[in-house]
Amino acid sequence: MTEWKPDIQRYGEPLYLALIRALHDDIERGQLPPDYRLPTQRELAEALHIAVGTVTRAYAEAERRGLIRSEGRRGTFVGGARTSRSMLASLVKDRPDAIDLSKNHPSYELDPDLGSALRELSRSREVRHLLEYPPTAGLAHHRAAGARWLESMGAPTDAGSVFITAGAQHALSVILAAESNRGDMICTDEFTYLGVRAIAQQYDLQVTGLPVDEHGLSPAAFESACRQHRVRILYCMPTISNPTNRVMDRDRRQEIASVASRYDVTVIEDEIMRPLVPERLGYIAEYVPDRTYLVVSTSKAIAAGLRVGFVQAPAGARQRMTESLTASCIGIPALTVELCVRWLEDGTAQRVIDARRSDVSARHDVAARVLEGFTAHRHPSSYHCWLELPDGWTSVRLAMEAQSRGVIVAPGEVFAVDSKPPYEAVRVSVISPTTGQLEEGLGILTGLLRGAIARQLPTV
C-alpha cells in the first residue's frame, strides 16, 4: 500500500484535472521520485473519497503525457516529469479517430507529383551517381540551387556558404552541436518551437524564454538577459513564429542583430515559413552575417517528406559545420536532394507554394468567421492559429475537454519555456482534412469556450 495522498481540492479544477496537476507538481518538487510506485486506482479513490473512474481517467491522461507509466500487475510508477522530447513525440503521433487540429504541417493533397518526377529522374544519365557518398556539405550543384532559392527570397548568398541538411530539425541539431557546449545558455521566445527545446535538453543546454510583443522578441529583454548571463545562442523564428504567429518587421530584426553583435551571441534564424511569405522582410543575417545561421527548409513549403534543408552558415563557421554534419550523418542522401533541386528549377516548387498559399488563406477565412470574438493570432500563410483563452481556462484543460469530444489541439503549455506559461493559449491547426471538418472542430472549441456546451461536461 503506497502512501501518496495529494490535496486536490486546492487546485479548483475538475477532479481528474486536479489529480493530474498534483502528479505533475509533486514530481517537479521531487516528492514523487522516478520509479515511485503509486497507489492503485481503487486505493487512491478510497483515500481521496472520489470515484474510481476519476482516478482511471487521470492516470490515463498522465501516462499519455509521460508523467507516469503502467506496468500491468506490477502497478503504476512515476516515469519522470514530461520532457521536451516526449512532448515533441506526442505532437507527431497519428490520431485517425479525431479531428486533429494539433499538427503544423502542409496539406499532403497539394504535394508535388512524385511518380512523374521519379520517372523523369530515372531517365537521367547521371542517376546512378546519386547512390554514391555525397560530399558532407552536399553536391556542388545542389548547394548552388539552394543559394539561388535563398536569393529568390531576398537572402543573397553564395554556394560555398550553403550546407544541406535533412530538414530544419536536423539543421538545428547540427548547428547547436557545432556552436555550443554543455551548460551553455540559449535564449528563445517565451513560447517557442518545441523541437529546439528537445535538442537543447539532449545536449544539456539551458533555455531561457524572453517576452515578446506584437513585433516579436523584445530587444530590451534580450539585452537584459545578455547583461545578466553569458548567453551563447539566440534561437528565433522571425517570420511566422511557431506557435505565436508573430512576424518581425525589418526594424526589429536590425535591433535584435545589434544586441547579438554587442554581446557576441550566435543567432539561429529559423525561416522555415519564409518561402510562403511573399513580402520582403529582411533577415537578421543581413546585419550580422558573421554570427548568424539562416535556416530554410522544404518541409512546410514544398513537401514535408522531402526532409531537405539549406543552411547559410557564417564564413568562420564552415569548418565547424562540416565537422558537425560529418558526425551527424556523413552526408545527406543525394537522391532526395536531387528531386528537390529539380522541383526548384523547373517551377514545380513555386507552383506548389502558390497553391499552398491559396489553400491556407481560404482556411483562415473559415477560422476568422468561426473564431470571431476571440483573440486568435493568425497569418494568411500560417498553418495554424494561436488562440488565447478566456479567463478560467487553462490550455491543458481545454485540450483535454476538446479531446473528449473528438478534437485535438496543442496546448500552449507544451511550447512554454517556463513551467508556468505567461498566459493561456492553444495552437489550432487550420490544415484539417476538409474545411468542413475544420469548421466542425473550431465550432466545438468555441462552444466549449463560450460555455454553450458546458452542461455536457462530465461530472467527476
Side-chain angles (χ1 to χ4, degrees):
M1 179 85 174
T2 51
E3 299 296 328
W4 185 61
K5 185 181 177 181
D7 176 13
I8 60 175
Q9 301 296 334
R10 63 191 177 91
Y11 289 92
E13 294 182 303
L15 296 180
Y16 77 99
L17 289 173
L19 187 52
I20 296 168
R21 185 72 67 179
L23 273 167
H24 176 274
D25 290 352
D26 286 350
I27 290 170
E28 286 281 293
R29 287 193 291 262
Q31 294 180 11
L32 289 177
D35 301 320
Y36 179 90
R37 185 180 182 276
L38 292 164
T40 67
Q41 295 171 18
R42 187 167 299 279
E43 287 170 351
L44 189 56
E46 291 175 355
L48 300 180
H49 305 291
I50 60 177
V52 174
T54 301
V55 181
T56 301
R57 186 178 183 186
Y59 271 23
E61 178 59 19
E63 183 168 15
R64 189 187 73 81
R65 298 191 202 180
L67 294 171
I68 63 176
R69 68 182 186 278
S70 173
E71 295 187 6
R73 293 183 178 181
R74 292 192 65 241
T76 302
F77 298 83
V78 172
R82 199 175 186 211
T83 66
S84 296
R85 280 173 285 177
S86 67
M87 288 190 285
L88 181 64
S90 74
L91 290 182
V92 297
K93 291 179 180 177
D94 289 326
R95 301 176 179 116
D97 57 336
I99 299 174
D100 193 345
L101 304 181
S102 69
K103 303 294 179 60
N104 192 42
H105 60 60
S107 172
Y108 298 144
E109 295 177 357
L110 298 177
D111 285 350
D113 182 355
L114 180 60
S116 62
L118 289 174
R119 286 190 291 273
E120 182 178 346
L121 181 60
S122 70
R123 293 191 288 268
S124 169
R125 294 180 180 179
E126 304 301 319
V127 66
R128 67 183 183 87
H129 296 298
L130 298 176
L131 295 180
E132 299 172 1
Y133 272 116
T136 299
L139 293 171
H141 73 281
H142 291 169
R143 297 172 74 186
R148 288 192 294 273
W149 195 35
L150 282 163
E151 288 173 354
S152 74
M153 293 181 280
T157 187
D158 63 274
S161 299
V162 174
F163 292 76
I164 299 173
T165 63
Q169 180 72 7
H170 180 233
L172 300 181
S173 181
V174 169
I175 294 167
L176 286 173
E179 291 293 343
S180 66
N181 295 302
R182 182 177 181 179
D184 281 349
M185 177 175 286
I186 302 175
C187 284
T188 70
D189 290 5
E190 57 194 355
F191 289 102
T192 195
Y193 170 50
L194 189 53
V196 76
R197 291 172 53 207
I199 300 168
Q201 185 176 61
Q202 186 173 15
Y203 292 168
D204 197 17
L205 306 174
Q206 303 177 62
V207 182
T208 296
L210 303 177
V212 301
D213 58 25
E214 65 272 20
H215 301 296
L217 187 143
S218 164
F222 179 29
E223 181 153 20
S224 178
C226 292
R227 286 174 177 166
Q228 296 177 43
H229 310 283
R230 174 65 181 96
V231 177
R232 181 70 187 87
I233 292 170
L234 172 70
Y235 168 80
C236 60
M237 300 183 74
T239 307
I240 311 182
S241 64
N242 182 9
T244 64
N245 276 338
R246 304 293 189 188
V247 177
M248 288 187 189
D249 58 25
R250 186 178 292 272
D251 289 343
R252 178 58 57 89
R253 294 169 199 253
Q254 188 170 7
E255 290 178 272
I256 294 297
S258 179
V259 176
S261 180
R262 285 198 299 273
Y263 292 93
D264 193 26
V265 177
T266 296
V267 178
I268 301 176
E269 188 174 11
D270 185 348
E271 287 282 22
I272 192 170
M273 297 300 294
R274 177 56 76 93
L276 292 160
V277 179
E279 294 83 8
R280 293 297 179 97
L281 300 167
Y283 294 91
I284 296 173
E286 291 180 34
Y287 306 106
V288 278
D290 59 329
R291 62 181 66 259
T292 303
Y293 288 87
L294 176 60
V295 179
V296 295
S297 168
T298 61
S299 301
K300 306 296 186 188
I302 303 174
L306 270 181
R307 312 310 304 146
V308 175
F310 297 99
V311 178
Q312 177 184 306
R318 295 178 188 178
Q319 183 59 35
R320 293 194 298 277
M321 271 294 289
T322 300
E323 292 170 357
S324 188
L325 269 168
T326 302
S328 170
C329 63
I330 299 180
I332 307 304
L335 177 59
T336 306
V337 186
E338 180 67 20
L339 277 172
C340 170
V341 166
R342 285 172 177 250
W343 280 335
L344 288 173
E345 294 181 336
D346 69 7
T348 297
Q350 190 57 53
R351 287 191 293 274
V352 170
I353 290 170
D354 292 342
R356 294 202 187 285
R357 285 176 183 156
S358 177
D359 176 62
V360 74
S361 178
R363 291 170 183 268
H364 274 292
D365 290 342
V366 174
R369 174 168 47 80
V370 181
L371 296 176
E372 185 177 3
F374 293 94
T375 302
H377 301 280
R378 300 182 298 106
H379 187 284
S381 294
S382 174
Y383 294 140
H384 68 271
C385 299
W386 181 239
L387 178 61
E388 294 190 27
L389 304 185
D391 291 342
W393 283 96
T394 66
S395 67
V396 172
R397 181 186 172 198
L398 179 62
M400 291 178 65
E401 298 293 3
Q403 183 172 338
S404 72
R405 288 161 179 79
V407 178
I408 311 298
V409 297
E413 183 176 296
V414 304
F415 303 99
V417 175
D418 295 332
S419 57
K420 181 174 176 53
Y423 58 91
E424 298 293 340
V426 293
R427 192 186 72 184
V428 183
S429 170
V430 298
I431 305 296
S432 55
T434 67
T435 53
Q437 287 182 314
L438 172 62
E439 187 164 2
E440 179 185 355
L442 292 176
I444 291 172
L445 290 180
T446 56
L448 281 168
L449 293 174
R450 290 190 177 105
I453 55 176
R455 293 185 301 277
Q456 301 176 19
L457 295 179
T459 302
V460 294

